[in-house]
Amino acid sequence: MPELPEVETIVRDLRPVLTGRRFASARLSHDDVLRGVTRPALIRGLAGARVQDVTRRAKHAVLRLDRGTRLVVQPGMTGSLVVYHRALTREESKYGVLRLPLSDGGELVYRDVRRLGTLLLLDERAWVRYDRALGPEPLSPDFTPPRLAEAFRGTRQYVKKALMDQRLVVGVGNIYANEALFAAGIDPSRAANTLPAADVARLHREVQRILNAAIASNGTTFRDYRTGTGERGNFQLELMVYEREGEPCRQCGTPLAGTHSIDARITVFCWRCQGRKDGPTDRRTD
Ligand SMILES: [Zn+2]
């Protein structure tokens, strides 16, 4: 799933291309990506609307429109948001779920092979509600080590799950949670509320460092991810643990372990560098 760096990359690519431009029309191939909006309302809301700004909130791209509404795109595992300045290939066209031709040329396409992403069209009130339900942005100045420590104090979840809890901090998904916990040398199955302040501070620093590094290299390349200009990301080479189960730890050489018992997702970690002597089930605190 595209995480914060991937969506940030998409948004940075789209902002200069879309700001001030108008959608000539709107076409939706399938309704199953819509949340809280009907097809006619979406089409009506988008056709003829001008884009005032393109920003990111959590893992979502937010297009602010001149009608006081926002188109919120949560790209799913196979979703991408690209402006094309050429005719689409047959394959691009086949999976183009939402197509928004621009009035002065080009076309914004939300492409999603498996349609796991979602589209929302929010008015001001709905946006405020939506925004408030989300935790702080990890790269914003108000996300500080004490704030993360406070969020962790209130939960007995595994620290990996807590880090991925969008109410505590947004934008960190499986890839970057695995990477940040490894870099900070923290056992992912440790209960978040038992983490000493020094560990929280180190984790906070690594989350920011890794997200910034991933943004600087245009996000991670995994299947179907594309930047806003249709390029692949290139962070893959720098991943320390994600998708490296069984391979030697880049720090100590110990084969990396993988488990699904922390959450439904794969957690890859180093027994030695992340200070774990036993399996996650033996450390359960909740
Ligand atoms: Zn190691």
Side-chain angles (χ1 to χ4, degrees), residues 249 252 270 273:
C249 170
C252 75
C270 175
C273 297

Side-chain angles (χ1 to χ4, degrees), residues 158 187-190 258-263 267 269 271 276-286:
Y158 297 126
D187 172 356
S189 72
R190 183 155 182 170
T259 177
H260 283 89
S261 60
I262 291 178
D263 49 28
T267 300
F269 61 95
W271 291 101
R276 258 173 69 150
K277 307 283 182 286
D278 48 15
T281 48
D282 302 326
R283 289 272 191 101
R284 279 195 88 114
T285 53
D286 58 350

